[in-house]
Amino acid sequence: IGLEPGDAKTLTLTTLKGALALLEQREESPEQLRKQVTSPGGTTEAALKVLGENKVKESIIDAICAAKQRATALSETTV
């Protein structure tokens, strides 16, 4: 989208570090914190809409389940 690779990396890391710091410092759930930073009609809401339309959450859950199943299968073959 026009960012230099170094700038994109810095932006990504800064965003993730900020989100992690909030999760570590506060008692709210990730969903509650996300709601606090999502302005109606804002940029985060626009991005989340696209992620929802593309079933990203479901894909991540499926990926975690697949990794768990594979880990279980691998642990059964090594015992």
Side-chain angles (χ1 to χ4, degrees):
I1 61 171
L3 290 174
E4 293 294 324
D7 293 337
K9 180 179 179 180
T10 299
L11 179 61
T12 300
L13 289 173
T14 302
T15 300
L16 292 172
K17 287 176 184 177
L20 179 59
L22 278 175
L23 285 169
E24 290 178 332
Q25 296 167 6
R26 312 236 340 236
E27 296 295 322
E28 292 96 343
S29 70
E31 181 68 14
Q32 290 170 317
L33 291 171
R34 196 263 323 141
K35 286 179 180 178
Q36 291 175 20
V37 300
T38 304
S39 303
T43 57
T44 301
E45 184 179 70
L48 290 171
K49 181 179 180 207
V50 171
L51 293 173
E53 289 170 352
N54 289 296
K55 301 189 183 311
V56 171
K57 179 179 178 179
E58 292 86 348
S59 294
I60 292 170
I61 292 169
D62 289 346
I64 292 168
C65 289
K68 179 186 177 287
Q69 288 174 347
R70 184 64 182 141
T72 300
L74 288 171
S75 68
E76 290 172 354
T77 60
T78 60
V79 174

